[in-house]
Amino acid sequence: DVKVTQSSRYLVKRTGEKVFLECVQDMDHENMFWYRQDPGLGLRLIYFSYDVKMKEKGDIPEGYSVSREKKERFSLILESASTNQTSMYLCASSLWGLGRTQFFGPGTRLTVL
Amino acid sequence: ELKVEQNPLFLSMQEGKNYTIYCNYSTTSDRLYWYRQDPGKSLESLFVLLSNGAVKQEGRLMASLDTKARLSTLHITAAVHDLSATYFCAVEGGSQGNLIFGKGTKLSVKP
């Protein structure tokens, strides 16, 4: 079974803190994605990566950065957390190419106070 | 800009009834995905539709794709309580396989 794991299920941080969200997949997938999910807005793509050290901006990259140093790991970084970044963050992975199912991790619910 | 619209956004059904969720999208694409999300859980892949006319069925759910009409449907037959969840459709929007999601349809099946 494909497994995508995220480092925390729940996280509470203060405004201005630097926040790291980690995602690991064990199926040798080339593509990895970070989304945020908010009520009434669905899922929105923050960043994705199709190879080690490669990254592409999604629809809402402002306030975020990413790092992919190893194929299995994709990190989302909030350089200076703000209250409007309180959200559910979902990581996904897939094989390279089109027509490939994305497999999602369990999500991290981040609250910024 | 690719847009994906689902309707209805909320659906309350009685057990045993049939209903259809619609997913319209704004640009040409041959690849559409349906996911299910239970409360507090992550997304689970239901169907992958990869060509015009594709139809997939699993239990009481059937999904179809009409790329000319830019429309996918998720049909629910004889609903049961276990189908209560939020259903998302997503269309492949970029060259690397990134997905554009609809806002989701929250389905509640009542006895």
Side-chain angles (χ1 to χ4, degrees):
Chain A
D1 277 355
V2 174
K3 197 160 186 184
V4 181
T5 57
Q6 295 182 228
S7 51
S8 306
R9 291 300 307 274
Y10 300 93
L11 209 51
V12 180
K13 296 291 182 181
R14 298 209 174 272
T15 301
E17 280 192 80
K18 191 169 186 175
V19 182
F20 293 86
L21 303 182
E22 304 284 337
C23 175
V24 178
Q25 50 92 5
D26 66 358
M27 285 303 292
D28 204 33
H29 284 172
E30 290 83 9
N31 293 348
M32 296 188 76
F33 306 84
W34 275 107
Y35 296 88
R36 65 176 281 176
Q37 182 178 18
D38 300 288
L41 296 178
L43 277 78
R44 292 177 293 167
L45 182 65
I46 304 171
Y47 268 97
F48 65 101
S49 167
Y50 53 88
D51 200 353
V52 175
K53 296 193 186 294
M54 304 300 288
K55 60 184 179 184
E56 294 281 346
K57 292 180 180 179
D59 298 317
I60 51 164
E62 296 78 18
Y64 303 95
S65 62
V66 290
S67 172
R68 193 163 180 203
E69 297 296 319
K70 294 185 178 182
K71 189 176 185 180
E72 67 271 19
R73 188 180 298 269
F74 191 34
S75 302
L76 180 69
I77 304 155
L78 287 66
E79 295 289 343
S80 177
S82 63
T83 55
N84 63 13
Q85 292 178 309
T86 292
S87 186
M88 170 69 88
Y89 290 88
L90 292 166
C91 175
S93 73
S94 73
L95 290 169
W96 185 86
L98 304 177
R100 307 293 195 171
T101 299
Q102 289 185 20
F103 295 90
F104 283 81
T108 296
R109 184 164 293 282
L110 172 67
T111 301
V112 182
L113 301 175
Chain B
E1 180 189 347
L2 174 58
K3 292 187 178 177
V4 181
E5 292 187 356
Q6 283 181 242
N7 71 84
L9 297 181
F10 298 93
L11 178 55
S12 182
M13 295 176 65
Q14 280 194 306
E15 280 191 328
K17 298 290 187 183
N18 303 335
Y19 209 84
T20 301
I21 298 170
Y22 297 89
C23 176
N24 293 272
Y25 54 97
S26 63
T27 191
T28 56
S29 178
D30 290 340
R31 290 171 288 277
L32 190 134
Y33 304 77
W34 283 96
Y35 286 86
R36 168 182 173 145
Q37 186 178 38
D38 291 297
K41 301 287 180 68
S42 191
L43 275 73
E44 173 192 352
S45 176
L46 289 174
F47 300 111
V48 181
L49 303 169
L50 297 178
S51 62
N52 186 41
V55 177
K56 295 267 182 88
Q57 183 161 6
E58 177 81 30
R60 300 174 188 273
L61 300 177
M62 184 173 72
S64 65
L65 178 61
D66 181 343
T67 60
K68 293 178 182 175
R70 300 179 187 174
L71 171 69
S72 179
T73 59
L74 181 65
H75 187 73
I76 303 153
T77 301
V80 294
H81 179 70
D82 284 353
L83 291 179
S84 297
T86 300
Y87 294 86
F88 291 93
C89 66
V91 176
E92 222 163 60
S95 59
Q96 299 298 332
N98 49 300
L99 299 180
I100 310 298
F101 281 81
K103 292 184 178 177
T105 297
K106 186 172 182 179
L107 172 65
S108 176
V109 182
K110 301 183 186 303

